[in-house]
Amino acid sequence: MTRCIRRCAALCLVLLLALAVNAVRVTVVEAGSYARDPANRRIAIARYEHPRGGILVGGASVTGSQQTGGQLAYARTYRDGPLYAPVTGFASQTYGTSLLEGTEDGLLSGTSSQLASVPLWNEITRDRQRPGDVHTTIDAAAQKAAYDGLAGRRGAVAAVDPATGRILALVSSPSYDPGLLAGTGPAVTDQWQRLNDDPAQPMLDRAIRQTYPPGSTFKVVTAAAALESGAVADLDAPTDSPDPYRLPGTTWSLTNEGRGCEDASVYDAFRVSCNTVFAKLGADVGLTAMARQAEAFGFNDDGLRVPPAVARSNFDTRMSRDQVALSSIGQFDTTATPLQMAMVAAAVGNGGELMRPYLVDRVTNHGGAVVAHTRPERLHRAVSEATAGQLQELMEAVVSDGTGTNAAIPGAVVGGKTGTAQHGVGNKGTPYAWFISYAKPPGANRAAVAVAVVVEDAEAARADISGGGSAAPIARAVMQSVLAAPPRPYDQPVS
């Protein structure tokens, strides 16, 4: 009898051990696969059991949550959804997340270990912390000025603080209301289908996810390469630049829209935007120096995150001389996001230092305590301080007495560059109008804001007048809104 009891006890012990091992397997080893299993309804129910954390602009939340009355208890809501969609993205119970809603999902949903009061507590208990709030760097007035300026036309605006890299505005037009995708059911499915079928692509974030040929705005990079390489020493000296200019190794000649470009100085050629001068200058500087300079401004970077991923801006590193010439005026295969071209203007306005752009200033927990803070970081020394001063002279001449006078702001020093990007088969597509710029407050040595604007449906008789007429007023409005705002205590340059 005693032997039977011992055997029974041993068997029970083995079974208990087996149960314990299986429990560990299910709750620890296999927990990730269960969590990722789309058939696991409990994950979705737990995810939407409580309101989601807020995305804030200027201390005010532009997102919220509302009760649904269903198993997924709370759905996302958006204040001024189309205005901030290129920043927030969407959080959908049906289609997942995008942009900040996606990259900061752990913080906004309460699953991030950064929110835990005790290290590893969440991983051990599987408890969900109360969600945190994401404070963006966006300036509400600048965002509104950019959005109103585009007025529904296809295009985008990006604005940054040159001294820190803080992104002050990200606008893409036409836009959409992320709240239409927040819940579940046929209405959400219909909206998703409608938005994806729309040829205007309202869900495309043109400010950071779309690249365009930058046209004449790229002449800032070409001028920088010429100055840094020593190919140009005197901005006022005549250049050996014929008009028209036959592209090297071809029978095709490049011309200008305006007159006075033959042998024009770099100063005058930049001010009135002579294609022939800058195409020849790029070909003379050469592929290696041009590519090196473009990359110093941020081109060819596959890893830029703000934290949403930014599309790669391209400058080819294998080209013939005629292709280098075309690339040097922002054509051929050269492409850039609006954020990239804002970075070019920012580096010039910041004395040659290019700061890493970022969209999240800090994250706070439910009690308001800061759990993460972004510190400004230098990305590259784009050009020397001396070269930056010469580029500022060129860009400021564009606004004071060139193609960009529509960007002038009384009392402020404004530098800019107009441009038009030809595109389509045989360059017969409607040109894209560009304007990039920076503005210095009265008495300041460094710029307080840098902006890039692209308008896709601009009608232009002359390329650079289009940039000055269609895009420059939008940039001016954005710069004015930033200059008019009181300084923020955390807007300090990096030493």
Side-chain angles (χ1 to χ4, degrees), residues 23-379:
V24 170
R25 181 186 65 83
V26 170
T27 59
V28 179
V29 178
E30 302 291 340
S33 62
Y34 288 130
R36 291 187 297 269
D37 191 335
N40 188 351
R41 185 70 173 170
R42 293 182 180 181
I43 300 299
I45 292 172
R47 178 183 180 84
Y48 298 107
E49 185 179 6
H50 302 290
R52 194 168 169 84
I55 298 176
L56 283 69
V57 172
S61 182
V62 297
T63 61
S65 296
Q66 65 179 6
Q67 289 184 312
T68 65
Q71 273 192 325
L72 307 183
Y74 287 90
R76 195 59 144 166
T77 60
Y78 295 87
R79 176 171 63 85
D80 294 325
L83 174 62
Y84 292 110
V87 177
T88 63
F90 61 80
S92 171
Q93 294 176 341
T94 305
Y95 297 106
T97 57
S98 68
L99 299 176
L100 280 186
E101 291 277 30
T103 61
E104 308 304 293
D105 181 63
L107 295 160
L108 295 168
S109 64
T111 60
S112 172
S113 59
Q114 289 180 282
L115 300 171
S117 54
V118 178
L120 302 179
W121 182 250
N122 286 5
E123 287 77 0
I124 297 171
T125 65
R126 302 292 172 188
D127 284 344
R128 185 179 296 267
Q129 297 288 320
R130 292 177 62 181
D133 293 326
V134 174
H135 300 251
T136 72
T137 59
I138 294 295
D139 181 298
Q143 186 81 358
K144 186 71 161 54
Y147 184 82
D148 291 346
L150 284 171
R153 293 174 291 176
R154 292 192 196 187
V157 180
V160 300
D161 176 355
T164 62
R166 298 175 65 250
I167 296 175
L168 303 176
L170 277 183
V171 169
S172 179
S173 178
S175 189
Y176 73 104
D177 184 357
L180 297 174
L181 305 175
T184 60
V188 171
T189 303
D190 290 345
Q191 290 295 340
W192 177 263
Q193 190 67 44
R194 179 185 66 82
L195 290 169
N196 280 282
D197 290 345
D198 191 332
Q201 297 179 285
M203 289 199 296
L204 172 64
D205 191 340
R206 290 172 165 85
I208 63 172
R209 296 280 175 84
Q210 177 68 33
T211 60
Y212 305 86
S216 291
T217 60
F218 193 79
K219 291 171 184 173
V220 177
V221 180
T222 304
L227 291 166
E228 289 283 274
S229 67
V232 170
D234 184 354
L235 296 179
D236 296 314
T239 58
D240 181 15
S241 305
D243 183 8
Y245 167 60
R246 180 174 290 182
L247 294 176
T250 75
T251 59
W252 194 79
S253 293
L254 186 67
T255 59
N256 299 290
E257 293 284 347
R259 297 180 179 179
C261 290
E262 184 174 357
D263 296 332
S265 67
V266 171
Y267 181 90
D268 286 332
F270 192 91
R271 182 174 57 85
V272 299
S273 203
C274 296
N275 287 333
T276 53
V277 173
F278 281 90
K280 183 177 184 299
L281 197 58
D284 291 346
V285 168
L287 173 61
T288 300
M290 283 297 302
R292 180 170 59 243
Q293 186 61 71
E295 290 172 358
F297 277 112
F299 282 78
N300 297 341
D301 186 348
D302 292 307
L304 185 62
R305 304 286 187 272
V306 293
V310 179
R312 181 182 191 267
S313 296
N314 180 72
F315 187 87
D316 282 357
T317 56
R318 298 183 66 183
M319 291 185 281
S320 59
R321 287 193 71 217
D322 60 306
Q323 293 168 340
V324 175
L326 289 174
S327 295
S328 299
I329 58 172
Q331 297 292 164
F332 188 56
D333 286 340
T334 302
T335 58
T337 63
L339 178 61
Q340 171 61 70
M341 294 314 295
M343 291 163 61
V344 170
V348 174
N350 194 42
E353 284 196 339
L354 175 62
M355 305 303 293
R356 183 181 295 278
Y358 63 98
L359 188 54
V360 175
D361 178 69
R362 62 193 185 279
V363 176
T364 56
N365 63 18
H366 68 275
V370 175
V371 298
H373 191 281
T374 304
R375 295 186 179 277
E377 175 189 354
R378 190 176 81 171
L379 187 61

Side-chain angles (χ1 to χ4, degrees), residues 451-473:
V451 183
V453 179
V454 62
V455 182
E456 292 187 27
D457 56 353
E459 296 181 0
R462 186 209 190 290
D464 289 304
I465 291 176
S466 172
S470 300

